[in-house]
């Protein structure tokens, strides 16, 4: 059952019900839709005081065994009391139906009336903090109700997922971190706020960063029991917190073949630490380490220490182990940190992670690697799609088929056509083109998907990974505007007019025009200006596009004032159709963040390129070529340091004991005017490098000795150099 979050009394609304036949014989049926004050749906036949309000009856045609049918009907919320209700459905049992316990279903709560309804959409913060340390916490509050309202929100630290307010104060109350009054929220509107709070707890450990909107229930809402959210765990204390960030392994393996895996281990805590890391082979989703009294159901492939990890750092470990004579089938590699719990951690239950499943044995393993198609189409149109299929198994697959389909949140799978696929050798991929026309479906948004070997005619190592999904598709007669790019100057002086170029495209099926807003934002999140919602971003100007045909794009130029823009590092951004004047397939793809913009009277140094030889003998000097540019508004010069790094992130030395990359040289630029670049060659010494591959990188003004408009764009990695004997 699906329906809206809220409606006004007497208002018509669309509700969707999906009915499936799980039996062994075909049959027709009827479905009755109800509105109930509780999640227990009670039929009005026979009519009793407990009967719920019947909304509609739907007659369904013959359903084959395993077949599902989705129906959407308009119903009316004709109730006398505002408040919380549940949509429900009862399907009429057939004469030979053996199980009628699943013939009734209640959907989510729906608010009926003319009131707001506040919910906490998200609350986020850091992974760990020291006791008493201040940290930023971000909360988003939305109003899915039918009337505007002005709530306040409180942030808490909670030991569990049940958020208990501090007023009235009880022994079960959670720790109040801060409170914030929101602006007036119109129906459907959200607001995001960031509060600086402090984690002053009595006991160190794992907590949930939580929020309550309208905690005192000062605002009468349609639904009163959906105002809390405990979503983000945070470790509070002076200890490490080890997590497995990723586990990668083979896509398939022959029986008895050694397995090689890469395990990335991170420390999300507040103190450095070291811990043992074990790798296992498992057939299920649970890693069972070899510690008493556990049975040895999983195969242990190896163990090694993580090495000393500073807070916020990661390290990748390589494992190679032989699984022995395990049975053929589907497996996963699993990593677990500190299974014996030797190390005290802030959060001790987040130390495991699994790799994607793979097959061990002699056989194929077919997957859908990608599915691509149009962004929209009109009902009745033929749809051309491209599907990439791969065999990641250990043996050829033989010929098979691939099926194309559409899915949505309110509809069962809609088939669109099939195509034949020739045999695929191990590790071979092939791209297949399909053209299909779906059966008549309702207008709306769908997801394109494909399934290889839909009849399961090919015996595979892994049988449940044959489905892949692609991008969203709009079906119907609408436009769909998106912003492809926002470009402008790298820097401007305060008060200087700003000119930017914005490329707008219409991915829909109807020709239309729209309005384009240009913004300057202090962060990478563009918050459009809408009524009754505060925005930290500055609206520079607005302009209309021309009529844009489906599939076409137009680049508009917007010029305007930068009054109110803060000096320093900013972002250019744009939004289309902010007033929602144009019905579109997708309303959540109208905002785009563009290039950086420095505002002020300072230089801004960037390393445009750094190059060197691709191979060299260990210890020999190399000649590095640097191009450094000043993107700022004032002239200046800067020191430039060169490094060798084992990854693409240049980490200069900061403090003793903190891991860093190898410094190999230092040079200084001449005085660079705004917009000027300088290329120079520097001889650097590589005695600190071992054998293997390193990236040559450079950082301008690594010590931040020169005040710049943007301080976090000063590094670049260049040539990958192989050091040999």
């Amino acid at each position: 059952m699906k329906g809206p979050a809220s409606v006004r009394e007497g208002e018509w609304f669309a509700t969707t019900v999906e009915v499936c036949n799980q039996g062994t014989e075909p049959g027709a049926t009827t479905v009755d839709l109800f509105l109930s004050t509780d999640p227990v749906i009670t039929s009005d036949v026979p009519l009793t005081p407990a009967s719920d309000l019947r909304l509609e009856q739907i007659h369904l045609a013959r359903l084959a065994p395993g077949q599902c049918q989705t129906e959407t009907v308009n119903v009316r919320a004709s109730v006398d009391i505002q408040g919380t209700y549940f949509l429900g459905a009862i399907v009429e049992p057939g004469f030979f139906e053996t199980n009628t316990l699943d013939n009734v279903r209640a959907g989510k709560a729906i608010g009926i009336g003319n009131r707001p309804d506040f919910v906490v959409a998200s609350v986020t913060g850091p992974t760990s903090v020291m006791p008493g340390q201040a940290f930023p916490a971000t909360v988003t509050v939305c109003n899915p109700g039918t009337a505007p309202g002005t709530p306040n929100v409180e942030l808490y630290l909670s030991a569990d997922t049940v958020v208990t307010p501090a007023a009235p104060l009880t022994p079960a109350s959670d720790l109040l971190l801060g409170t914030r009054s929101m602006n007036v929220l119109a129906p459907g509107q959200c607001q995001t706020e960031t509060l600086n709070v402090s984690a002053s707890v009595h006991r160190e450990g794992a907590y949930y960063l939580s929020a309550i909107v309208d905690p005192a229930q000062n605002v009468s809402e349609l639904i009163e029991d959906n105002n809390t959210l405990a979503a983000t765990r945070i470790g509070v204390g002076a200890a490490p917190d080890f997590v497995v960030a990723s586990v990668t392994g083979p896509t398939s393996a022959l029986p008895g073949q050694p397995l090689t895996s890469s395990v990335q281990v991170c420390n999300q805590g507040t103190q450095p630490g070291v811990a043992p890391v074990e790798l296992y082979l498992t057939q299920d989703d649970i890693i069972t380490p070899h510690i008493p009294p556990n049975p040895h159901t999983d195969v242990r492939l190896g163990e090694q220490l993580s090495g000393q990890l500073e807070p916020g750092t990661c390290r990748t470990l390589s494992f190679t182990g032989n699984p022995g004579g395990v049975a053929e089938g589907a497996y996963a590699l699993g990593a677990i940190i500190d299974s014996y719990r030797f190390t005290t951690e802030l959060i001790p239950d987040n130390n495991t992670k699994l790799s994607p499943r793979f097959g061990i044995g002699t056989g194929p393993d077919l997957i859908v690697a990608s599915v691509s198609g149009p962004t929209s189409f009109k009902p009745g149109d033929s749809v051309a799609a491209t599907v990439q299929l791969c065999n990641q198994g250990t043996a050829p697959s033989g010929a098979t088929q691939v099926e194309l389909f559409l899915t949505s949140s309110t509809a069962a799978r809609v088939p669109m056509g099939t195509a034949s696929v020739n045999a695929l050798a191990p590790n071979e991929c092939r791209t297949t083109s399909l053209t299909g026309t779906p059966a008549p479906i309702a207008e709306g948004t769908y997801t394109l998907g494909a399934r290889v070997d839909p009849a399961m005619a090919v015996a595979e190592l892994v049988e449940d990974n044959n489905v892949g999904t692609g991008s969203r598709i709009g079906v119907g007669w609408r436009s769909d505007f998106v912003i492809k790019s926002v470009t402008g100057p790298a820097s401007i002086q305060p008060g200087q007019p700003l000119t930017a170029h914005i490329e707008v495209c219409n991915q829909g099926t109807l020709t239309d025009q729209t309005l384009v807003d240009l913004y300057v934002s202090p962060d990478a999140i563009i918050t459009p200006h809408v009524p009754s919602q505060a925005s930290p971003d500055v609206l520079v100007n607005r302009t209309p596009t021309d009529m844009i045909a489906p599939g076409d794009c137009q680049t508009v130029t917007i010029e305007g004032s930068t009054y109110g823009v803060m000096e320093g590092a900013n972002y250019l951004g744009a939004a289309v159709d902010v007033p929602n004047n144009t019905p579109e397939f997708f309303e959540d793809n109208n905002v785009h963040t563009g290039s950086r913009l420095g505002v002020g009277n300072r230089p801004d140094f960037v390393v445009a390129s750094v190059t060197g030889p691709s191979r060299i003998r260990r210890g020999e000097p190399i000649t590095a070529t640097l191009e450094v540019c000043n993107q700022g508004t004032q002239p200046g010069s800067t020191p430039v340091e060169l490094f060798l790094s084992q990854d693409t992130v240049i980490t200069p030395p900061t403090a003793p004991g903190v891991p860093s990359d190898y410094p190999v040289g230092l040079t200084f630029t001449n005085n660079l005017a705004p917009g000027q670049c300088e290329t120079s060659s520097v001889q650097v010494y590589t005695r600190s490098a071992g054998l293997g591959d390193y990236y040559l990188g450079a950082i301008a003004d690594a010590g931040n000795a020169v005040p710049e408009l943007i301080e976090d764009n000063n590094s670049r990695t260049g040539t990958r150099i192989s050091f040999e004997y």
Side-chain angles (χ1 to χ4, degrees):
M1 288 291 300
K2 294 182 182 295
S6 62
V7 294
R8 293 181 176 85
E9 291 177 280
E11 188 174 52
W12 290 87
F13 63 94
T15 183
T16 300
V17 59
E18 182 181 16
V19 180
C20 299
N21 179 4
Q22 297 184 154
T24 59
E25 295 292 335
T29 188
T30 59
V31 182
D32 295 326
L33 305 183
F34 292 90
L35 200 61
S36 174
T37 57
D38 55 40
V40 179
I41 309 302
T42 305
S43 176
D44 58 350
V45 179
L47 188 64
T48 70
S51 292
D52 293 323
L53 175 65
R54 183 195 292 262
L55 297 175
E56 185 68 57
Q57 185 174 77
I58 304 172
H59 297 275
L60 297 181
R62 180 184 175 93
L63 288 179
Q67 184 182 1
C68 298
Q69 184 171 336
T70 301
E71 292 288 336
T72 299
V73 295
N74 286 321
V75 294
R76 189 164 178 250
S78 55
V79 296
D80 299 325
I81 303 174
Q82 301 187 82
T84 306
Y85 292 84
F86 293 84
L87 286 171
I90 302 177
V91 62
E92 181 70 24
F95 289 109
F96 302 105
E97 189 169 355
T98 57
N99 178 18
T100 60
L101 297 178
D102 54 0
N103 287 24
V104 181
R105 179 174 292 275
K108 292 183 178 180
I110 175 175
I112 298 180
N114 189 32
R115 295 178 187 171
D117 180 27
F118 302 120
V119 297
V120 180
S122 66
V123 54
T124 58
T127 56
S128 63
V129 294
M130 292 286 288
Q133 177 186 350
F135 64 92
T138 301
V139 59
T140 298
V141 175
C142 298
N143 177 14
T146 58
T150 307
N152 70 313
V153 62
E154 293 179 347
L155 290 177
Y156 286 87
L157 278 183
S158 175
D160 51 37
T161 57
V162 179
V163 189
T164 306
L169 189 63
T170 69
S173 292
D174 294 323
L175 177 63
L176 177 63
L177 299 179
T179 184
R180 179 66 57 87
S181 296
M182 313 297 277
N183 298 321
V184 176
L185 294 180
Q189 190 175 1
C190 299
Q191 182 179 340
T192 300
E193 292 288 333
T194 299
L195 291 74
N196 284 318
V197 296
S198 177
S200 300
V201 298
H202 298 296
R203 181 177 298 174
E204 297 183 359
Y207 290 86
Y208 286 89
L209 184 61
S210 312
I212 306 178
V213 61
D214 191 30
Q217 296 191 356
N218 293 322
V219 181
S220 179
E221 300 181 63
L222 293 176
I223 304 175
E224 295 286 359
D225 60 358
N226 61 349
N227 290 9
T228 66
L229 180 67
T232 302
R233 282 215 296 178
I234 177 173
V236 181
D241 180 26
F242 299 110
V243 296
V244 181
S246 65
V247 182
T248 59
T251 55
S252 62
L254 290 167
Q257 178 181 344
L259 303 178
T260 299
S261 174
S262 294
V263 179
Q264 187 181 44
V265 183
C266 300
N267 180 5
Q268 296 184 161
T270 60
Q271 297 294 311
V274 60
V277 183
E278 297 172 87
L279 185 70
Y280 287 87
L281 182 71
T282 179
Q283 286 188 295
D284 52 37
D285 295 335
I286 300 174
I287 304 171
T288 306
H290 290 186
I291 57 176
N294 290 345
H296 289 193
T297 54
D298 296 337
V299 179
R300 190 171 181 270
L301 297 177
E303 177 183 352
Q304 56 183 295
L305 291 176
S306 66
Q308 183 82 347
L309 285 174
E310 298 293 326
T313 63
C314 301
R315 180 171 289 115
T316 300
L317 308 176
S318 295
F319 287 83
T320 299
N322 197 315
V326 297
E328 295 191 4
Y331 292 85
L333 292 170
I336 182 169
I337 304 174
D338 193 24
S339 60
Y340 281 90
R341 303 286 177 88
F342 289 141
T343 304
T344 300
E345 295 185 66
L346 294 177
I347 305 177
D349 59 358
N350 60 350
N351 289 10
T352 64
K353 195 174 188 69
L354 294 173
S355 74
R357 295 214 303 161
F358 64 97
I360 295 179
T362 304
D365 182 21
L366 298 170
I367 63 167
V368 176
S370 65
V371 187
S372 60
T375 55
S376 62
F377 66 90
K378 296 187 290 293
D381 285 354
S382 295
V383 179
T386 300
V387 181
Q388 186 184 42
L389 305 173
C390 298
N391 177 9
Q392 56 183 22
T394 59
S397 65
T400 185
Q401 286 192 321
V402 59
E403 175 190 50
L404 192 69
F405 58 84
L406 291 175
T407 61
S408 76
S409 60
T410 59
R413 185 177 295 178
V414 179
M416 297 179 63
T418 59
S420 297
V421 181
N422 293 329
L424 289 172
N427 298 317
E428 181 185 2
C429 295
R430 184 176 302 135
T431 299
T432 300
S433 296
L434 292 85
T435 300
T437 303
I441 54 176
E443 287 193 53
T445 58
Y446 295 81
T447 299
L448 187 65
R451 177 170 182 167
V452 62
D453 190 29
M456 300 184 70
V458 178
E460 301 181 59
L461 296 176
V462 184
E463 292 285 1
D464 58 1
N465 61 349
N466 288 12
V467 175
T469 57
S471 57
R472 299 184 302 177
I473 294 182
V475 180
W477 291 269
R478 294 186 182 185
S479 57
D480 185 32
F481 293 107
V482 296
I483 297 172
K484 290 294 185 181
S485 64
V486 184
T487 57
S491 62
I492 60 171
Q493 292 178 312
Q496 180 180 350
L498 172 65
T499 300
H501 307 286
I502 304 167
E503 185 181 15
V504 182
C505 299
N506 181 3
Q507 297 183 158
T509 58
L510 285 184
T511 300
D512 211 333
Q513 64 181 155
T514 188
L515 296 173
V516 186
D517 292 1
L518 174 65
Y519 293 92
V520 176
S521 173
D523 54 37
I525 300 174
I526 307 303
T527 306
H529 285 209
V530 296
S532 304
Q533 177 173 327
S535 171
D537 303 337
V538 173
L539 175 61
V540 177
N541 213 338
R542 170 181 288 178
T543 189
T545 67
D546 297 332
M547 298 294 287
I548 303 177
D552 286 351
C553 300
Q554 179 190 357
T555 298
V556 298
T557 299
I558 296 181
E559 181 176 348
S561 169
T562 57
Y563 177 78
V565 174
M566 300 294 292
E567 294 192 22
N570 291 275
Y571 289 82
L572 288 173
V576 292
D577 193 29
V578 172
N580 284 331
N581 294 330
T582 305
E584 299 183 72
F585 284 126
F586 302 103
E587 299 289 353
D588 58 357
N589 62 351
N590 289 3
V591 178
H592 185 83
T593 303
S595 56
R596 301 288 293 275
L597 174 70
V599 180
N601 292 297
R602 294 179 182 179
D604 182 26
F605 299 110
V606 296
V607 179
S609 65
V610 51
T611 58
S614 60
R615 294 179 179 274
I616 195 170
R617 291 184 181 275
R618 179 186 176 189
E620 289 187 355
I622 62 175
T623 299
T625 301
L626 288 168
E627 184 182 17
V628 181
C629 301
N630 178 8
Q631 295 184 158
T633 60
Q634 297 296 317
S637 62
T638 182
V640 184
E641 295 182 69
L642 289 101
F643 293 86
L644 289 177
S645 174
Q646 291 183 309
D647 54 37
T648 57
V649 178
I650 306 301
T651 306
T654 55
V658 178
S660 64
D661 294 326
Y662 307 114
V664 293
L666 174 68
T667 187
F668 293 86
T669 69
N670 294 313
N671 196 55
L672 298 179
Q676 184 181 359
C677 297
E678 178 182 87
T679 301
S680 61
S681 295
V682 183
Q683 191 173 53
V684 299
Y685 298 91
T686 62
R687 289 185 294 271
S688 57
L691 296 175
D693 293 339
Y694 292 82
Y695 288 92
L696 181 64
I699 302 179
D701 190 28
N704 291 333
V706 181
E708 298 182 67
L709 294 178
I710 303 176
E711 297 286 358
D712 60 1
N713 62 347
N714 290 8
S715 67
R716 180 176 292 274
T717 52
T719 304
R720 190 176 183 180
I721 304 175
S722 180
F723 288 87
E724 305 170 339
Y725 283 116

